[in-house]
Amino acid sequence: MDIFDKLGDTLISVSKDATQKAKDLSELARLRMEIRSKEEDMNQLYQQIGKDYYAAHKDDEQPEFEQIILMKNTEKVLDDLKQQLGQIKGMQKCPQCGNEMSLEADYCSKCGAKLNIFEEE
């Protein structure tokens, strides 16, 4: 009987160890997911801080960061590309409200602003 008792004790011990290891692995996975989630939250906050800072300082005469100047230049290029896309599609955006309408429109049908932003000079 002594052998069976030792075998039983060994099985119980191994089972407890396996159960504890499974719990540890589960806890590790949970902690890693929580860390990843918090890092994503922080990255979103950093982005929002950057957007807010840019909005507050984009019109500064001497911006503190060179990236503000790069961002303004990129915005201009992006606006030009969007206008080109609109011309190809036969559409224009109202400079006041952003409503899209045909290139032939002289006034915005939504806000009444004068258009003709694509007229050649």
Side-chain angles (χ1 to χ4, degrees):
M1 283 281 204
D2 198 29
I3 293 175
F4 290 115
D5 288 338
K6 286 183 181 180
L7 182 60
D9 289 345
T10 302
L11 287 174
I12 290 172
S13 175
V14 168
S15 175
K16 286 181 182 178
D17 287 347
T19 301
Q20 186 59 45
K21 287 184 181 186
K23 286 180 183 178
D24 290 347
L25 286 174
S26 175
E27 182 66 6
L28 283 172
R30 186 192 68 76
L31 289 170
R32 285 183 181 129
M33 278 185 16
E34 191 170 341
I35 288 169
R36 225 175 285 126
S37 174
K38 295 301 175 192
E39 287 173 342
E40 287 175 11
D41 290 348
M42 285 182 64
N43 284 332
Q44 288 177 352
L45 290 169
Y46 282 136
Q47 273 188 329
Q48 190 59 50
I49 289 169
K51 287 178 182 179
D52 292 346
Y53 185 89
Y54 175 74
H57 296 282
K58 69 180 180 181
D59 295 324
D60 290 357
E61 198 169 307
Q62 294 280 326
E64 186 174 348
F65 297 103
E66 178 183 333
Q67 288 84 352
I68 290 177
I69 296 167
L70 295 172
M71 191 75 161
K72 286 174 74 171
N73 292 339
T74 303
E75 279 182 341
K76 288 176 187 172
V77 169
L78 186 58
D79 287 343
D80 290 344
L81 292 171
K82 286 180 180 180
Q83 283 184 357
Q84 290 174 24
L85 181 64
Q87 285 180 323
I88 291 170
K89 290 176 21 182
M91 302 295 285
Q92 65 178 323
K93 276 195 176 186
C94 172
Q96 296 296 316
C97 70
N99 187 39
E100 268 196 0
M101 64 215 79
S102 76
L103 284 173
E104 291 80 32
D106 292 324
Y107 295 91
C108 177
S109 59
K110 185 175 181 182
C111 72
K114 181 150 177 61
L115 301 176
N116 299 327
I117 55 176
F118 294 122
E119 282 186 354
E120 293 190 25
E121 297 176 12

